[in-house]
Amino acid sequence: MTELDPVIHAQARLRVVASLSALGDSDRITFPRLQELLAMTAGNLSVHLRKLEDAGYVEISKTHRGRTPTTLIRLSRRGRLAFEEYTEAIRALLDPTSSKEQS
C-alpha cells in the first residue's frame, strides 16, 4: 500500500500546498492573501506554515513594502516534488489498476 506524506496529508496543510502549487515556480503570495484565500485564521495558518517550512516544503521570506512588513510564501522545489508524489499516491489508492499498468 502506498504511504501518504503525513506532513501534507493533514487537511489544512493539504489546502495550503495545493494552493501554493497553483503558483508558478518562482511566484510568491503574501500571508494575508493566502489567509484570505483559504479562509483560515492567522494563528492556524502560521502553525501549518511552520510545519511545512520545517519539512522544507515552503519558503517564507519577510521583507518590507515601504514601511509595511510583508511575509511572502512560496512552495519550494522539494515541496512541489512532495506534492506531486502525494497526488500520485492518492491516484494509486483511488485506482490501483492504473499504477500497475504504468509499471
Side-chain angles (χ1 to χ4, degrees):
M1 182 174 203
T2 305
E3 195 69 28
L4 297 175
D5 184 331
V7 175
I8 294 176
H9 192 62
Q11 181 187 11
R13 290 191 294 273
L14 178 56
R15 292 174 57 220
V16 170
V17 172
S19 297
L20 294 174
S21 73
L23 299 173
D25 287 344
S26 61
D27 291 338
R28 299 173 188 272
I29 189 169
T30 63
F31 182 93
R33 178 67 185 122
L34 185 61
Q35 180 186 358
E36 176 186 16
L37 185 68
L38 299 173
M40 294 174 74
T41 65
N44 193 18
L45 180 56
S46 292
V47 166
H48 291 294
L49 284 172
R50 175 59 52 106
K51 288 187 184 286
L52 291 166
E53 185 179 34
D54 288 347
Y57 291 174
V58 298
E59 295 173 359
I60 299 171
S61 58
K62 297 182 184 277
T63 185
H64 285 82
R65 288 190 177 163
R67 293 181 177 210
T68 307
T70 304
T71 301
L72 299 170
I73 305 150
R74 72 183 280 273
L75 195 59
S76 68
R77 182 173 287 136
R78 181 177 179 183
R80 198 167 292 278
L81 178 61
F83 184 62
E84 288 170 8
E85 291 172 353
Y86 179 86
T87 56
E88 287 172 15
I90 290 290
R91 285 189 190 101
L93 286 172
L94 296 174
D95 186 6
T97 58
S98 69
S99 64
K100 289 178 184 175
E101 291 171 7
Q102 293 175 354
S103 299

